[in-house]
Amino acid sequence: MDLNLRKNCAYLLACPTSMGVRITPDDRMAVQNSNHFYLQATSAETNVLNVAASLGKPCLALTKFVKGSPIAAFIQSQLRARGISYAGAEVDQGGPWGYRHQFNIADSGFGLRAPRVWNDRAGEVGRTLRITEFDIEHIFGTQGVGILHLSGLIAAMSEETTRFCLELAQAAKQYGTLVSFDLNYRASFWKGREDELRAAFDRLAGLADVLVGNEEDFQLCLGFAGPEAGGRALSGKIDRFQDMVTRVSRRYPNARVFATTLRQVVSANEHLWGALMLADGQWFVEQPRPIPVLDRIGGGDGFTGGLLYGLLQGWQAEQCLQFGWACGVLAASSLNDYAEPADEKQVWDIYAGNARVQR
């Protein structure tokens, strides 16, 4: 579908983000039983960029680093390896109790042992992001950005990042950049700031050209009544999700694309995974179907990344949804919390259910 993307952009996708690292036990062990961990650089927003970056599209992360930190150096090397450019100030650590990059400690779960995630974010440098730290005229005016992607995680992280996301979205619109907003509700981020964040998310949703959520984001972030969690199978709630998204589209008429993932957990190793999208007033639905899961973290980001990639390519709306669905599966089949496709064919094979060996 044609979203009237700005032409000749240096970056097809850009995002504000607070980078950190994630540690995950080997072999799907629980955290408290492990002494070997896999380390990766992480953020929800760069997870979204990773689909396009893996497929050779220029992407930019707007972030902040601790000067001289080996963790910052590790994050930068990982972004370079993933094909994601970055811009951001470096600040002094300020001593042992100063700034640092967050640690995300994740248990992938196994069988009926559910995944668990602990966030250790005290002193996180990315919570201090400000728009004055970036040359907005150069990035959005001279270089150009196709789509600015925002996540509810960075938007809710602190008062500074909330303001940063609002100002960045407004600036992007002035330069003809489209805005994508993935609501990404986290209760721990909203605690004590509910009224403030509800108002900020309402403003961001009003600026969005693409608005994405999961099964509960529209209810929890924007206050829409919708299907209850749990209970009967997702397939029996599709019409209720569509009714909710229709009401969302009426409140936010600026957006042309509304999408939500649909997930029903059978076990840590198996989910029913689906999605639906309202694009230019037309519905597209991927009915939930079983998928094997290695690590569920990042599946929603993979979906959003695949959806945005399709939109950037100018594909038909149905193809965008299908590619997003399959990129979510790809992320869930990796210990990394992002989808990293080898090529488009790999993603389309996942969608088709073609797991035959490629020689």
Side-chain angles (χ1 to χ4, degrees), residues 291-343:
I291 65 167
V293 176
L294 185 59
D295 186 305
R296 66 162 285 164
I297 305 302
D301 297 330
F303 167 80
T304 303
L307 175 69
L308 293 180
Y309 179 81
L311 293 173
L312 288 164
Q313 296 294 97
W315 293 347
Q316 295 297 314
E318 185 175 24
Q319 293 177 297
C320 297
L321 183 66
Q322 293 168 347
F323 202 80
W325 181 92
C327 283
V329 176
L330 184 60
S333 66
S334 171
L335 290 178
N336 292 327
D337 55 8
Y338 48 84
E340 197 170 16
D343 48 37

Side-chain angles (χ1 to χ4, degrees), residues 96-166:
W97 292 274
Y99 292 121
R100 64 186 175 111
H101 293 275
Q102 64 113 343
F103 266 73
N104 180 283
I105 306 165
D107 174 351
S108 300
F110 187 85
L112 296 181
R113 190 187 84 239
R116 291 187 174 188
V117 179
W118 294 265
N119 286 302
D120 183 2
R121 313 188 79 126
E124 185 172 352
V125 68
R127 297 180 77 243
T128 67
L129 279 163
R130 297 176 179 86
I131 198 167
T132 53
E133 295 168 335
F134 300 91
D135 188 341
I136 298 301
E137 163 63 30
H138 179 68
I139 294 170
F140 289 92
T142 304
Q143 294 182 307
V145 175
I147 297 178
L148 172 69
H149 176 70
L150 305 171
S151 161
L153 296 183
I154 186 70
M157 190 172 294
S158 67
E159 292 181 5
E160 290 90 343
T161 60
T162 302
R163 187 180 310 112
F164 176 47
C165 287
L166 284 166

Side-chain angles (χ1 to χ4, degrees), residues 28-227:
R28 300 190 71 165
M29 290 288 289
V31 172
Q32 73 273 12
N33 304 133
S34 301
N35 53 23
H36 289 90
F37 292 81
Y38 172 61
L39 177 70
Q40 60 180 287
T42 187
S43 79
E45 299 79 24
T46 52
N47 288 351
V48 171
L49 266 55
N50 211 82
V51 173
S54 295
L55 295 173
K57 306 304 180 184
C59 297
L60 175 68
L62 304 173
T63 190
K64 201 167 187 175
F65 299 102
V66 176
K67 187 176 181 180
S69 164
I71 298 300
F74 173 78
I75 291 168
Q76 291 168 346
S77 70
Q78 290 287 294
L79 290 175
R80 288 193 295 269
R82 290 161 58 181
I84 299 175
S85 301
Y86 55 85
E90 292 189 331
V91 299
D92 290 328
Q93 179 181 344
W97 292 274
Y99 292 121
R100 64 186 175 111
H101 293 275
Q102 64 113 343
F103 266 73
N104 180 283
I105 306 165
D107 174 351
S108 300
F110 187 85
L112 296 181
R113 190 187 84 239
R116 291 187 174 188
V117 179
W118 294 265
N119 286 302
D120 183 2
R121 313 188 79 126
E124 185 172 352
V125 68
R127 297 180 77 243
T128 67
L129 279 163
R130 297 176 179 86
I131 198 167
T132 53
E133 295 168 335
F134 300 91
D135 188 341
I136 298 301
E137 163 63 30
H138 179 68
I139 294 170
F140 289 92
T142 304
Q143 294 182 307
V145 175
I147 297 178
L148 172 69
H149 176 70
L150 305 171
S151 161
L153 296 183
I154 186 70
M157 190 172 294
S158 67
E159 292 181 5
E160 290 90 343
T161 60
T162 302
R163 187 180 310 112
F164 176 47
C165 287
L166 284 166
E167 292 173 345
L168 197 59
Q170 291 165 344
K173 301 292 282 189
Q174 293 174 4
Y175 288 103
T177 295
L178 301 184
V179 174
S180 164
F181 184 31
D182 184 349
L183 295 167
N184 244 335
Y185 176 82
R186 291 293 183 276
S188 57
F189 286 23
W190 280 60
K191 188 175 181 179
R193 299 182 64 207
E194 290 84 357
D195 291 343
E196 173 195 353
L197 288 176
R198 177 68 60 80
F201 275 52
D202 179 69
R203 290 175 60 192
L204 287 170
L207 292 167
D209 299 279
V210 180
L211 189 57
V212 182
N214 65 18
E215 299 84 356
E216 297 181 296
D217 282 344
F218 292 105
Q219 296 100 308
L220 296 172
C221 293
L222 302 176
F224 286 88

Side-chain angles (χ1 to χ4, degrees), residues 28 111 264-272 289-293:
R28 300 190 71 165
Q264 183 176 340
V265 176
V266 179
S267 73
N269 305 65
E270 182 183 354
H271 293 174
L272 300 180
R289 48 176 155 145
I291 65 167
V293 176

Side-chain angles (χ1 to χ4, degrees), residues 323 343-350 354 358:
F323 202 80
D343 48 37
E344 290 180 8
K345 182 180 183 301
Q346 184 179 57
V347 179
W348 287 120
D349 281 345
I350 289 172
N354 176 21
Q358 307 288 310

